Amino acid sequence: MKKIVLILSVVATTFTFNSCSDQFDEIDINPNSTEQALTYGLFNSANKELMDNTRDQWQSARITLPWVQYSAQRAYTEEDRYQYRLSTGVSLWSFSYRVAQDYKSIIDLNNDPATSVQMAKYGPKQNQIAASRVMLSYVFLTLADSFGDIPYYSYGNKDADFQALNVNGQLQPKFASQQKVYADILKELKEASEMLDVNNIVFTQGDVLFGSGEKLKKFANSLRLRVATRVKGVVPGAEAHIQDAIASGVMTSNADNVGVGYENNLINPAPLYNDFLTRSDFAISKTFVDLLKGNSGNFNLDPRLFKFATKSKLSAAELADGTNKTLKARILDGSITESTNPADFLGMPYGIPSSLAPSQASSSNFFSKNILKPDYTEILMEYSEVQFLIAEANGWSQTNYVNGVRASMQRWGVATADIDAYIASLPAATKENVLTQKYITLFMQPYEAWSEYRRTGYPNTLLLPGQTGTLNVETDGQTTYTFTSLIAGLTDLPTRLFYPTSVQTLNTANYQAASTAIGGDKMNTKLIWDTN
């Protein structure tokens, strides 16, 4: 995938200062300033905040990343057992609406006659608005997938139930139903795609997410394909959107992947790298390692294992090189050598009691230097996922299944010979095999993987409450443990997050109505598309 370098733009604002003499009035004015926000600056800032707060140690690494068992915590295992911190849910909610407000501001600035002329200097009006509509859809999709009914805003639909983002001065917005939200997201993505000038840029400068109207259009259609696949059979018209999105043009190669790239420095590093500088809480999970090693599931040893995880111990040569660098230090500076020996990978047992964590941590594996690096790119959506979506639309197509596996391996830098050997060993495309490979592809995109598990029940290799797991290191004569949920009533993965406590307090009547409408503000209340 072409590496994206994130360029942060400062939102320029004119500051006025009191002067003791009128003669300073003109001197106080910066001729290069603008009284209005730079829309490309707003866009980049919102994109960064979105990834900073959904791929960090809180919203990601302590909730969804372990829940789908890509990771396991080396210390605070209560969160892996579903006892997440309610303040984290509050944060996810509040920053999502803050980011959504920024995208809406770009639309408002382009539509307001008083500012539209200035905004035209930053890119074609229709492309700026389309990009904002697409990203609003992305944000509201995550919110709806996480909570259920939510306050919602639509650019092109004036439904009285859509009251979010201070529409008509509404500070206590109603919660729109999931049916309405998902249907409107599909409509918004279709309309945004169709309003684009694909032969033009999106922003005149600083657009490092799309770069062109053509790439934005492919992302909009690919995201619509994702949403339509999720809600098919429960939202009328979703099936038609699947076919229309594909026909309208989706991602066709890894060059079309969309992600927020960070910088190779300590000023703007990737969120998990930044967390790893001071914390060592997170390891790749044993459940996931066992799937990649072929110990569970239907596949042989997957060479992506060596790209996803770091060996648990330094080699003799590394220990003897005189630098005295620790394993963690070598990951951080990128000097750690890649192991291709499956025996070097055990993973961290998932969901163990915290009393067992210290005995297992030393044998666990951190994420690899490919992930724990400052200039990592956090993916919003990639070509490989699109191929698996098309495989499902085509009745579990073998061709698209193989294309998806190959594209994922190529993105992670697996050698061509290893890709060919793995693909030659693949079992035939079936619902289980396609969706399990899709799960592997979605590694480090935990919110989407969580949604897919709830929708489909795959992969079926996850450790569920009441089941028995195996320890890496025998402890006090114990070699196994039982995974026990700390949330009463959960016999599977959580199906949603609690509504934030702040919403319960500040928007009580609408919160109570929404809670009743979805069947209760509980972690085992199913969303409308969770039918597996």
Side-chain angles (χ1 to χ4, degrees):
M1 183 187 77
K2 182 178 179 181
K3 184 176 179 181
I4 307 171
V5 178
L6 181 68
I7 303 173
L8 294 179
S9 299
V10 177
V11 179
T13 308
T14 299
F15 293 92
T16 58
F17 300 85
N18 292 328
S19 173
C20 60
S21 172
D22 290 343
Q23 66 182 327
F24 292 110
D25 287 351
E26 293 185 5
I27 298 176
D28 285 345
I29 299 174
N30 179 354
N32 297 316
S33 69
T34 173
E35 293 182 355
Q36 301 299 334
L38 306 176
T39 50
Y40 62 83
L42 273 176
F43 192 70
N44 285 335
S45 176
N47 297 337
K48 180 181 183 298
E49 185 175 4
L50 178 64
M51 290 294 102
D52 282 354
N53 289 281
T54 52
R55 306 293 175 86
D56 68 339
Q57 67 166 309
W58 299 109
Q59 280 80 13
S60 176
R62 298 187 191 276
I63 299 184
T64 48
L65 201 63
W67 285 1
V68 293
Q69 297 174 35
Y70 290 142
S71 71
Q73 294 201 64
R74 303 170 78 243
Y76 306 108
T77 64
E78 290 81 7
E79 292 164 321
D80 291 11
R81 298 161 67 195
Y82 310 150
Q83 190 173 287
Y84 77 96
R85 308 175 200 205
L86 295 181
S87 59
T88 307
V90 174
S91 176
L92 174 64
W93 182 278
S94 61
F95 90 75
S96 294
Y97 282 100
R98 187 167 62 247
V99 164
Q101 187 67 61
D102 283 345
Y103 293 130
K104 180 177 179 292
S105 294
I106 295 171
I107 293 173
D108 293 342
L109 286 165
N110 274 279
N111 281 332
D112 186 344
T115 56
S116 60
V117 174
Q118 178 69 30
M119 297 308 111
K121 297 178 181 180
Y122 311 137
K125 172 182 176 178
Q126 70 271 32
N127 284 7
Q128 291 190 53
I129 292 174
S132 300
R133 293 175 76 177
V134 170
M135 293 309 298
L136 278 165
S137 295
Y138 188 94
V139 172
F140 282 120
L141 176 64
T142 300
L143 283 167
D145 288 348
S146 300
F147 296 99
D149 293 9
I150 55 169
Y152 179 73
Y153 162 81
S154 174
Y155 173 77
N157 187 341
K158 305 309 176 186
D159 190 302
D161 286 347
F162 297 166
Q163 298 180 357
L165 306 187
N166 200 24
V167 171
N168 299 323
Q170 181 56 259
L171 298 178
Q172 293 180 311
K174 294 177 64 176
F175 287 54
S177 70
Q178 295 166 68
Q179 285 276 357
K180 285 190 174 183
V181 169
Y182 287 114
D184 193 72
I185 287 174
L186 290 170
K187 180 190 74 66
E188 281 292 293
L189 289 169
K190 177 176 173 61
E191 290 182 359
S193 170
E194 292 172 345
M195 75 181 292
L196 275 165
D197 177 359
V198 297
N199 296 315
N200 214 330
I201 56 176
V202 181
F203 293 96
T204 54
Q205 56 185 303
D207 174 20
V208 295
L209 194 61
F210 300 115
S212 69
E214 181 181 10
K215 185 170 183 176
L216 173 56
K217 185 180 184 72
K218 289 180 178 181
F219 176 65
N221 286 322
S222 298
L223 186 59
R224 181 158 59 110
L225 175 60
R226 173 194 282 182
V227 180
T229 301
R230 178 155 306 143
V231 300
K232 65 182 179 181
V234 293
V235 172
E239 289 78 3
H241 274 288
I242 290 174
Q243 297 306 320
D244 186 69
I246 295 171
S248 298
V250 294
M251 296 177 178
T252 56
S253 75
N254 279 331
D256 297 325
N257 296 348
V258 173
V260 172
Y262 289 81
E263 296 173 357
N264 190 21
N265 56 49
L266 296 181
I267 305 300
N268 181 38
L272 278 184
Y273 174 87
N274 194 49
D275 297 330
F276 191 59
L277 289 171
T278 56
R279 309 283 305 197
S280 302
D281 293 353
F282 314 114
I284 195 166
S285 85
K286 183 177 180 64
T287 314
F288 192 45
V289 168
D290 282 343
L291 174 62
L292 296 173
K293 290 173 72 171
N295 295 340
S296 62
N298 301 328
F299 307 102
N300 291 340
L301 174 66
D302 190 324
R304 282 172 290 190
L305 170 64
F306 313 128
K307 303 297 181 181
F308 292 167
T310 298
K311 59 192 177 184
S312 57
K313 296 180 181 179
L314 295 176
S315 67
E318 288 166 325
L319 289 170
D321 71 357
T323 63
N324 295 319
K325 289 183 179 179
T326 64
L327 178 73
K328 180 173 179 176
R330 289 181 181 276
I331 296 172
L332 286 170
D333 68 14
S335 65
I336 188 78
T337 57
E338 181 180 293
S339 170
T340 56
N341 181 359
D344 288 337
F345 302 88
L346 294 175
M348 180 72 183
Y350 176 77
I352 57 177
S354 57
S355 60
L356 290 174
S359 65
Q360 307 302 309
S362 62
S363 62
S364 65
N365 303 89
F366 290 120
F367 294 131
S368 75
K369 65 181 180 182
N370 300 314
I371 297 164
L372 296 173
K373 61 180 181 178
D375 55 345
Y376 180 67
T377 296
E378 291 287 358
I379 296 294
L380 279 73
M381 193 168 188
E382 62 183 292
Y383 166 62
S384 179
E385 180 194 344
V386 172
Q387 283 298 300
F388 292 123
L389 288 165
I390 297 175
E392 181 172 348
N394 290 340
W396 313 111
S397 156
Q398 178 74 19
T399 298
N400 299 116
Y401 163 62
V402 169
N403 288 346
V405 174
R406 184 179 296 278
S408 175
M409 291 188 157
Q410 289 173 337
R411 181 172 88 79
W412 285 97
V414 177
T416 300
D418 293 334
I419 296 174
D420 291 341
Y422 184 76
I423 287 176
S425 74
L426 280 176
T430 62
K431 179 179 181 179
E432 177 181 350
N433 291 337
V434 171
L435 292 175
T436 302
Q437 282 293 333
K438 185 179 183 182
Y439 164 76
I440 297 172
T441 279
L442 290 172
F443 178 58
M444 302 309 293
Q445 300 173 61
Y447 278 91
E448 184 57 24
W450 179 39
S451 294
E452 279 297 276
Y453 176 82
R454 287 176 287 161
R455 178 180 77 92
T456 68
Y458 290 103
N460 57 12
T461 54
L462 302 186
L463 186 67
L464 302 181
Q467 294 181 345
T468 299
T470 304
L471 298 174
N472 291 337
V473 179
E474 181 179 331
T475 304
D476 296 329
Q478 185 176 348
T479 58
T480 63
Y481 66 99
T482 299
F483 175 40
T484 304
S485 168
L486 295 179
I487 302 298
L490 279 180
T491 58
D492 204 330
L493 270 64
T495 52
R496 60 179 295 278
L497 302 179
F498 290 117
Y499 284 125
T501 51
S502 57
V503 173
Q504 299 176 35
T505 302
L506 300 175
N507 194 7
T508 305
N510 288 315
Y511 157 72
Q512 291 174 342
S515 178
T516 299
I518 67 172
D521 186 12
K522 299 174 291 187
M523 289 180 70
N524 61 353
T525 297
K526 288 194 171 188
L527 304 187
I528 60 171
W529 43 262
D530 187 351
T531 58
N532 75 83

